[in-house]
Amino acid sequence: MEDKLELRHERPSVEQYLALRMEAGLSAMSAEGAEIGLPRSVFAVTLYEEGALVGMGRVVGDGGCFFQVTDIAVKPSCQGRGLGKIIMREIRSFLDTVPDRSYISLIADGEAARLYAQYGFEPVMPASQGMFLRR
């Protein structure tokens, strides 16, 4: 890991979270939702450089049966340096400690599937299909 990069096992602040999601091209979330959801993270990892948040990732779920990897984001100016791999390495280490037979999932957007495959994630199609509720 680069000397000036600081890895923390903590969630970002609401403001940091919302800003990095937008900057990284992820969908917008509400401040209200982030205030409720972030403290309920099962696991979180953040990367800081010179005091600024440059990467993050979280695991959400019930803590026993179901876990979902979410919010994997790296500041665009810091992409291509392996920060996504650092985040996923930390998340995978955490996931290796959860109960056997837990269902661990994620939704991979575009080329991100190649990163996740390096950490053991596989497509669920055709046996299953990811879906979401559009509101």
Side-chain angles (χ1 to χ4, degrees), residues 76-93:
S77 63
C78 296
Q79 291 176 1
R81 295 173 34 201
L83 303 188
K85 289 181 180 183
I86 293 170
I87 293 165
M88 284 304 300
R89 180 192 70 214
E90 296 298 310
I91 287 174
R92 180 56 200 257
S93 291

Side-chain angles (χ1 to χ4, degrees), residues 32-114:
E32 177 186 19
E35 287 171 8
I36 295 167
L38 287 174
R40 295 180 178 167
S41 302
V42 176
F43 179 80
V45 59
T46 47
L47 298 177
Y48 291 85
E49 195 166 66
E50 298 177 7
L53 180 67
V54 296
M56 66 179 178
R58 294 190 312 135
V59 178
V60 299
D62 65 13
C65 293
F66 296 92
F67 297 85
Q68 184 174 35
V69 177
T70 189
D71 295 324
I72 306 299
V74 173
K75 188 174 182 158
S77 63
C78 296
Q79 291 176 1
R81 295 173 34 201
L83 303 188
K85 289 181 180 183
I86 293 170
I87 293 165
M88 284 304 300
R89 180 192 70 214
E90 296 298 310
I91 287 174
R92 180 56 200 257
S93 291
F94 166 75
L95 293 172
D96 286 342
T97 70
V98 305
D100 288 343
R101 302 197 47 90
S102 296
Y103 190 79
I104 302 167
S105 63
L106 58 78
I107 301 294
D109 293 334
E111 295 299 310
R114 293 191 317 190

Side-chain angles (χ1 to χ4, degrees), residues 6 10 13 54 60-62 107 110 114-115 118 120 122 131:
E6 182 184 354
E10 64 184 30
S13 71
V54 296
V60 299
D62 65 13
I107 301 294
R114 293 191 317 190
L115 170 65
Q118 294 175 45
E122 303 173 3
M131 300 178 79

Side-chain angles (χ1 to χ4, degrees), residues 18-31:
L18 296 174
L20 184 55
R21 279 189 63 88
M22 292 303 296
E23 189 172 357
L26 302 180
S27 59
M29 294 291 175
S30 70

